[in-house]
Amino acid sequence: MKTGKVPLIEVRNVSKFFGSVIALKDVSMAVYAGEVMCLLGDNGAGKSTLIKILSGVHKPDEGEYYVEGERVDFDSPRDALDRGIATVYQDLAMIPLMSISRNFFLGSEPTRGRGIFKRFDVRFADRVAREELKKMGIDIRDPSQPVGTLSGGERQSVAIARAVYFGAKVLILDEPTAALGVKQAGTVLRYIAQARARNLGVVFITHNPHHAYAVGDRFTILKRGRTFGTFTKDELSREEMVRMMSGADELEALSHELEEFARTDAMHAKGKLSEVEQQLAESLERAAKTGDDV
Amino acid sequence: MTTTTETASQRDERMVEVGLLRRLLGRPELGALGGAILVWIFFAIIAPEGFLSLRGTSSYLEVSAQIGILAVAVALLMIGGEFDLSVGSIIGFSGAVMAMLTTEVGIPLYVSAIIALLISLLVGFFNGYMVVRTKLPSFIITLAGLFIIRGLTIGITRAVTGRTQVGGLGDAPGYNVMRLIFGVDVPIAGVGFPISIFWWFLFAALATWVLLRTPVGNWIFGMGGAEEAARNVGVPVDRLKIGLFMVTAFAAWLVATITVTVVKSADTKRGEQQEFIAIIAVVIGGTLLTGGYGSAIGAVLGALIFGMVRQGIVFAGVDADWFQVFMGAMLIVAVLVNNYVRKRAEEAKR
Ligand SMILES: Nc1ncnc2c1ncn2[C@@H]1O[C@H](COP(=O)(O)OP(=O)(O)O)[C@@H](O)[C@H]1O
Ligand SMILES: [Mg+2]
């Protein structure tokens, strides 16, 4: 379904070594506009290392990196940002004591006036921050309130809104749902779907198969620094996904995961989880139909 | 489209009304403002004659100005998440360099002052560079700086002049120019107010402008709040940090220049403990020790409290020894109040 199109970003056979640790070996992956690529894997599988290569934090020791078909060699996160590749880190996304609008524009402050009268346009920052968040469905009363007053899910959403506003073409999210409850995770997943609806390419890292399945179009599975390849949703069932993530021999872990499914299925029955997922499914469908804002 | 903008602007107005009181309560300098008013009232009652007179006011403002200039710069640095314990030593160093260049080499005092400024900025640059390169806590780097710079100052001055003080600058070439800029009293209602007070206010106004109304100010808050996050969104953290250490060095030079001009001499011991008093003033002013939150106005108020207490005690006829006890106690109270105010600020708006 993606054949013929040039991917927004692509890595070919990249490897990364930290001393004797092989963090990543021969990994290839591509992300297209308007899709959510889920990067799955256990702790230590190399997910963060891979996205640090994508976002310009690390240089790959082997392999190539292409942005829109052009070979690149990033020296810093700024280089990646300039090419429209924005990364939202789970815990480092926001500065709690700073206001929402100051956070929103940190590093790219709008100014007015010239020369020594050049100043931070606070009004503009407040207005745009509020508007942009509204577009994502968050109605903040006061953009000058500290980010620390927002919930974890809202903070992630502000970070996503910021990336989208600054013209990100690719959005990289490192475990944005890891520390969140079911409802808040649902909020973040919805914004991921919205980013896709705006034709962004999204790299979504998680080790929660439910979250991956809810929004993912394709799945790249990492295990101990190597990749099992990339699969579409039809090619991969949830159970297979879990098996690949944990390894066929680790039956114990698998059965543990399966137990968890049973438990969440029970929750479905109570209608707790399904509400969020239903909402999600709806928004996804709408997005797919109109290709527009949800 | 028009409706959205309309509702947005309507909400804007409502926010201004509702938000003003809340915003005021959320300001870091609120505690210091209350403290300054209380201290003023206290001395106005127990020592009205000296304290309330214009002469008394001028005297505590002059004391406040010396600390205040340092505190404003230290506030910027501390909001940015770093400490500078070497500023006191830079005061002594800068003054000694300035004085010796004039007495030993014979160049006009204002030229010596400019050379001392450049050297001080270099020291600040070096502090910042070491912090950025070694990634050691600035507390350690500048603690080392405190001793190294003080030791160098005393050593060099003694080697060159044979003494630890350099005097007689009143007759030195270029002194009158310096006096006009840094040492005159500005008459207000018949009482002279030292010009250093105006330098203090100007510096504080500039710092406040930078903090609240420029991108650099936003970077300072961001860097102090979460350095890696700031770096990740493109804030030039290393350059900013070095720049802030140069600002504290500049403030130390300004204080040195003012004292050298007013006292007409340099003393290698000058500025001792000022680094701690500046930090106390900054913390009293509501700046968090952990960085990312604070204000230059708060530092001004902290320095004002310092000056009022130091002179007020004298006016009240109390032994000045008690002053240090007061400052220490004040520091603890301020930190407790800060923590409380910050929690309130974060929660009130939920
Ligand atoms: N900066 C580093 N220095 C040394 N080893 C590292 C570094 N970053 C990651 N690693 C190692 O590389 C492997 C992959 O880590 P990471 O990419 O963080 O995994 P994940 O994000 O999938 O949990 C781990 O074994 C980890 O210890
Ligand atoms: Mg990780």
Side-chain angles (χ1 to χ4, degrees):
Chain A
M1 109 191 177
K2 301 291 180 191
T3 43
K5 275 208 281 179
V6 179
L8 286 175
I9 53 174
E10 181 179 13
V11 284
R12 286 186 205 154
N13 304 102
V14 289
S15 305
K16 181 75 195 173
F17 313 108
F18 295 108
S20 60
V21 178
I22 301 170
L24 222 51
K25 181 74 188 158
D26 268 338
V27 172
S28 300
M29 188 184 84
V31 183
Y32 296 85
E35 77 163 354
V36 176
M37 157 68 79
C38 288
L39 201 51
L40 306 169
D42 226 345
N43 280 328
K47 306 183 296 293
S48 295
T49 305
L50 179 53
I51 63 126
K52 279 180 182 158
I53 289 173
L54 297 178
S55 62
V57 174
H58 293 325
K59 275 174 187 273
D61 293 320
E62 292 171 6
E64 296 117 50
Y65 185 2
Y66 298 87
V67 174
E68 294 173 292
E70 184 189 320
R71 178 102 191 244
V72 291
D73 186 18
F74 293 150
D75 289 317
S76 76
R78 190 77 239 180
D79 289 351
L81 264 177
D82 291 343
R83 293 299 300 259
I85 300 162
T87 310
V88 175
Y89 296 92
Q90 191 206 324
D91 42 350
L92 298 175
M94 289 278 132
I95 296 160
L97 279 169
M98 270 171 100
S99 75
I100 295 169
S101 53
R102 278 180 174 268
N103 260 291
F104 196 97
F105 285 99
L106 182 60
S108 313
E109 289 79 3
T111 55
R112 54 190 297 191
R114 295 170 165 279
I116 65 160
F117 295 110
K118 194 159 136 184
R119 57 200 185 275
F120 183 16
D121 193 343
V122 179
R123 274 167 169 277
F124 177 84
D126 281 352
R127 184 166 54 79
V128 170
R130 186 162 49 219
E131 280 170 10
E132 289 302 309
L133 287 171
K134 198 157 191 172
K135 280 187 207 161
M136 300 222 94
I138 311 173
D139 197 1
I140 46 165
R141 273 154 295 156
D142 179 4
S144 67
Q145 80 191 64
V147 156
T149 62
L150 297 176
S151 70
E154 284 172 327
R155 272 185 231 188
Q156 288 288 328
S157 307
V158 173
I160 295 171
R162 172 173 67 188
V164 172
Y165 174 77
F166 284 110
K169 290 182 208 156
V170 180
L171 197 55
I172 300 172
L173 307 165
D174 191 0
E175 306 211 27
T177 56
L180 306 180
V182 173
K183 199 169 164 204
Q184 296 209 5
T187 314
V188 173
L189 293 179
R190 202 156 56 234
Y191 300 139
I192 292 175
Q194 283 199 17
R196 168 178 50 199
R198 290 178 172 202
N199 213 33
L200 271 73
V202 180
V203 180
F204 173 35
I205 299 183
T206 178
H207 50 227
N208 184 325
H210 301 292
H211 294 166
Y213 234 72
V215 292
D217 297 305
R218 296 193 303 144
F219 307 88
T220 296
I221 300 175
L222 291 180
K223 165 102 179 146
R224 293 193 181 150
R226 290 169 194 271
T227 175
F228 282 110
T230 300
F231 306 87
T232 65
K233 214 164 182 168
D234 333 320
E235 292 167 354
L236 196 66
S237 73
R238 246 185 235 217
E239 288 72 17
E240 276 175 313
M241 201 158 90
V242 173
R243 188 161 51 234
M244 285 183 152
M245 279 165 71
S246 56
D249 47 337
E250 291 163 37
L251 279 172
E252 228 173 316
L254 176 60
S255 68
H256 176 72
E257 286 280 357
L258 288 173
E259 263 168 42
E260 206 152 67
F261 285 150
R263 206 162 48 83
T264 40
D265 283 347
M267 279 170 80
H268 275 257
K270 281 190 214 138
K272 253 194 132 183
L273 234 173
S274 62
E275 203 182 294
V276 177
E277 285 204 334
Q278 217 166 357
Q279 229 179 0
L280 250 169
E282 266 171 34
S283 71
L284 295 186
E285 247 165 44
R286 246 181 301 160
K289 256 186 224 143
T290 58
D292 204 8
D293 253 9
V294 184
Chain B
M1 201 60 221
T2 25
T3 41
T4 12
T5 15
E6 227 171 72
T7 45
S9 65
Q10 271 168 11
R11 170 165 299 150
D12 230 20
E13 259 113 57
R14 201 197 62 197
M15 285 317 313
V16 171
E17 282 178 319
V18 182
L20 198 66
L21 184 69
R22 273 226 237 112
R23 212 163 290 182
L24 214 61
L25 283 173
R27 292 297 311 163
E29 55 275 85
L30 186 75
L33 183 62
I37 292 171
L38 279 181
V39 168
W40 189 85
I41 291 174
F42 178 76
F43 286 111
I45 292 170
I46 69 161
E49 262 149 63
F51 192 76
L52 289 181
S53 71
L54 273 180
R55 198 167 298 280
T57 306
S58 167
S59 86
Y60 71 68
L61 282 180
E62 184 179 15
V63 173
S64 302
Q66 302 258 326
I67 278 307
I69 289 168
L70 274 190
V72 165
V74 169
L76 294 184
L77 183 68
M78 281 176 66
I79 294 169
E82 303 291 344
F83 286 97
D84 189 348
L85 297 180
S86 71
V87 280
S89 297
I90 299 178
I91 292 176
F93 172 74
S94 198
V97 167
M98 202 178 304
M100 280 190 292
L101 278 174
T102 291
T103 56
E104 304 299 316
V105 185
I107 51 181
L109 193 56
Y110 51 84
V111 179
S112 309
I114 291 169
I115 295 172
L117 170 62
L118 295 178
I119 298 176
S120 300
L121 289 176
L122 206 65
V123 172
F125 176 88
F126 188 72
N127 274 336
Y129 183 77
M130 287 297 283
V131 169
V132 166
R133 275 311 290 265
T134 63
K135 297 195 165 63
L136 288 173
S138 51
F139 184 89
I140 296 299
I141 299 280
T142 58
L143 183 60
L146 184 157
F147 288 102
I148 293 170
I149 297 165
R150 181 70 67 190
L152 279 176
T153 307
I154 298 172
I156 293 172
T157 309
R158 213 197 292 276
V160 173
T161 68
R163 302 185 309 137
T164 58
Q165 287 162 325
V166 186
L169 290 172
D171 312 319
Y175 175 78
N176 286 337
V177 178
M178 290 295 282
R179 200 182 105 75
L180 213 58
I181 304 173
F182 299 105
V184 290
D185 287 352
V186 181
I188 295 176
V191 174
F193 283 75
I195 197 168
S196 56
I197 300 169
F198 300 95
W199 284 116
W200 172 36
F201 288 160
L202 184 70
F203 191 41
L206 212 67
T208 302
W209 164 264
V210 168
L211 265 182
L212 298 181
R213 284 293 176 272
T214 69
V216 171
N218 211 36
W219 299 349
I220 293 173
F221 282 112
M223 179 171 84
E227 192 176 318
E228 277 316 302
R231 201 191 296 272
N232 282 335
V233 295
V235 173
V237 167
D238 292 351
R239 268 190 296 149
L240 183 59
K241 215 171 257 190
I242 292 172
L244 287 176
F245 278 103
M246 291 172 75
V247 171
T248 54
F250 167 80
W253 167 83
L254 183 55
V255 171
T257 307
I258 288 166
T259 19
V260 162
T261 308
V262 171
V263 186
K264 304 188 179 96
S265 71
D267 186 329
T268 53
K269 288 256 171 191
R270 208 165 275 159
E272 268 183 352
Q273 287 191 7
Q274 299 295 292
E275 58 282 325
F276 296 112
I277 292 169
I279 289 173
I280 292 175
V282 168
V283 171
I284 288 175
T287 296
L288 290 184
L289 285 164
T290 44
Y293 188 76
S295 91
I297 305 272
V300 167
L301 292 167
L304 186 62
I305 291 176
F306 174 92
M308 286 195 294
V309 174
R310 167 159 271 184
Q311 295 309 94
I313 280 179
V314 176
F315 291 133
V318 178
D319 195 54
D321 296 343
W322 293 99
F323 172 72
Q324 298 205 23
V325 178
F326 174 84
M327 284 310 284
M330 203 56 194
L331 177 65
I332 303 288
V333 173
V335 173
L336 290 174
V337 170
N338 284 355
N339 287 349
Y340 176 75
V341 167
R342 191 196 63 200
K343 271 216 187 95
R344 279 285 310 265
E346 276 193 339
E347 279 160 11
K349 296 176 182 177
R350 248 179 221 279

